[in-house]
Amino acid sequence: MTILTRSIIVASIFLVGCSKKQAEDDSAAPASGYSVENVTSGGSVSGHVMLVGEHPATSMLETQKDQDVCGTSHPNPGALGSGNGIGGCVVAIEHISKGKAFVEQKWEVDQKGCEFIPHILAVPVGKSIVVANSDAALHNFHITKGTETIVNEAQPESSPAREVKMKTPGLLAVTCDVHPWMRGYVYVAENPYYAVTDAQGSYSITDIPAGDYTISLWRDNWTVELVKDGEGRIQSYKRGPDFVKQQQVHIEAGKPVSLDFTLP
């Protein structure tokens, strides 16, 4: 790499960081319209997300970049575990305007082993996540909602962690343009009635005011197709469409409800 090339890269990183910082300073986080109140005798909903049909086999992905750091193959970030329970699903109640308070914690994403850890992170709207790079390689975290770029910043090796406020509600994808197999997600919630399923596919949402609600489920697809050119170079990692499902649920005061989902 020439001195001129390095200078261009450093300047680009600086400009992207400055423009993003300015954008964050100039705009306020959108109000979610959710208000906190004391929930007495709240109900709950819990259940499992289970796989129906044959277990998919796409567990490892070939890689062709930074193999000294990332290896010649890498686990498919959306792959399932060995059982039938499906982890990494977001289960959330939509359109609830008031109820319990959000849980305060620290939300972190690390670029480690050439993947985003955790693969899916849920965070309240208006809160910040801390993004770090623990690898001896250049990464960038490119956060998008659909085709809209929310954040796109480079993180060279040994660079400091970056705090980013999550002002856009909904499901955001996180990719690394340097290592295109890397993919994660941030679910930015407008209310605290959500859960991410564990490795067994279990979830639980508590302290729900009595009423009728729509429960939504989201999970990224575990199918990944490698698109190569005529010389065997990987051009892209083509992923299947996300899984999205909804169910209606009636919550009574002080009573639990069991609600399961199946995929695909």
Side-chain angles (χ1 to χ4, degrees):
M1 182 183 293
T2 67
I3 295 176
L4 176 59
T5 302
R6 285 197 297 268
S7 298
I8 292 172
I9 292 173
V10 171
S12 299
I13 293 170
F14 176 79
L15 289 172
V16 169
C18 288
S19 63
K20 195 63 196 177
K21 177 67 165 57
Q22 183 65 44
E24 289 179 350
D25 290 343
D26 290 348
S27 60
S32 68
Y34 180 80
S35 60
V36 175
E37 66 173 23
N38 186 34
V39 179
T40 59
S41 299
S44 65
V45 59
S46 61
H48 296 82
V49 183
M50 305 299 292
L51 176 68
V52 174
E54 295 184 4
H55 201 284
T58 311
S59 59
M60 299 295 293
L61 302 175
E62 180 186 351
T63 66
Q64 294 180 346
K65 292 185 178 181
D66 291 330
Q67 292 184 339
D68 56 330
V69 176
C70 304
T72 58
S73 63
H74 198 278
N76 173 11
L80 302 184
S82 57
N84 288 328
I86 303 177
C89 303
V90 175
V91 182
I93 298 178
E94 297 186 349
H95 310 304
I96 180 169
S97 61
K98 55 187 177 181
K100 66 180 180 180
F102 285 94
V103 175
E104 290 293 333
Q105 64 181 77
K106 190 173 184 180
W107 294 275
E108 298 176 304
V109 176
D110 195 5
Q111 295 162 102
K112 186 175 182 179
C114 298
E115 66 178 299
F116 292 104
I117 300 175
H119 178 60
I120 173 71
L121 180 69
V123 56
V125 66
K127 297 296 184 179
S128 295
I129 64 172
V130 176
V131 185
N133 176 12
S134 295
D135 284 338
L138 169 69
H139 288 307
N140 78 305
F141 58 96
H142 188 179
I143 303 178
T144 58
K145 184 174 184 180
T147 59
E148 177 190 3
T149 291
I150 308 299
V151 178
N152 188 7
E153 290 195 25
Q155 277 194 312
E157 176 185 352
S158 302
S159 62
R162 172 78 164 88
E163 185 174 297
V164 183
K165 181 172 284 189
M166 297 288 96
K167 298 178 289 187
T168 303
L171 186 75
L172 311 181
V174 189
T175 57
C176 174
D177 299 319
V178 183
H179 308 100
W181 66 86
M182 291 177 61
R183 191 174 184 89
Y185 298 89
V186 179
Y187 174 68
V188 183
E190 294 185 277
N191 69 68
Y193 293 101
Y194 60 86
V196 179
T197 57
D198 63 17
Q200 289 71 47
S202 301
Y203 76 93
S204 178
I205 303 174
T206 62
D207 298 321
I208 308 170
D212 295 306
Y213 300 101
T214 299
I215 304 278
S216 294
L217 176 141
W218 169 91
R219 177 50 154 89
D220 58 317
N221 201 309
W222 42 77
T223 302
V224 182
E225 176 189 352
L226 272 64
V227 180
K228 297 184 178 182
D229 63 17
E231 298 181 357
R233 292 186 293 261
I234 298 174
Q235 301 299 300
S236 65
Y237 295 79
K238 184 179 179 181
R239 293 169 170 82
D242 294 348
F243 297 107
V244 179
K245 283 194 170 185
Q246 290 185 335
Q247 293 193 57
Q248 305 302 310
V249 63
H250 176 71
I251 300 295
E252 296 185 26
K255 294 185 178 181
V257 174
S258 179
L259 188 68
D260 294 333
F261 289 86
T262 58
L263 293 179

